[in-house]
Amino acid sequence: TPAAALERFTINFTIATLPYTSDLENPDSAKFRATRRVVNTLLDRLLKESSIGTAFQGCETSDFRYG
């Protein structure tokens, strides 16, 4: 059987315990990179253990915003 096609999807959520600062607007800032690394690790772990785990390829954080 042919390999399943990969499909991207978006997840939006709020991290209520993460104070928003302007550093999170800049993908080159140390705070953005560190926060992205933690979020990606935690989401990867969560989704690999979910019902899509066998097909899950990894996540990528695109941005952070206030709200």
Side-chain angles (χ1 to χ4, degrees):
T1 62
L6 295 179
E7 186 173 332
R8 289 182 173 253
F9 59 94
T10 300
I11 299 174
N12 294 307
F13 59 93
T14 300
I15 305 173
T17 58
L18 178 65
Y20 186 82
T21 66
S22 61
D23 289 342
L24 291 173
E25 294 176 14
N26 179 2
D28 296 322
S29 75
K31 183 163 188 173
F32 182 98
R33 290 192 311 269
T35 304
R36 176 181 55 202
R37 188 170 37 255
V38 170
V39 168
N40 288 352
T41 298
L42 294 173
L43 283 175
D44 279 349
R45 217 179 278 165
L46 177 70
L47 293 171
K48 283 179 185 173
E49 294 175 8
S50 75
S51 62
I52 67 167
T54 57
F56 182 67
Q57 298 288 310
C59 70
E60 179 179 315
T61 300
S62 57
D63 66 349
F64 298 101
R65 61 180 181 240
Y66 181 78

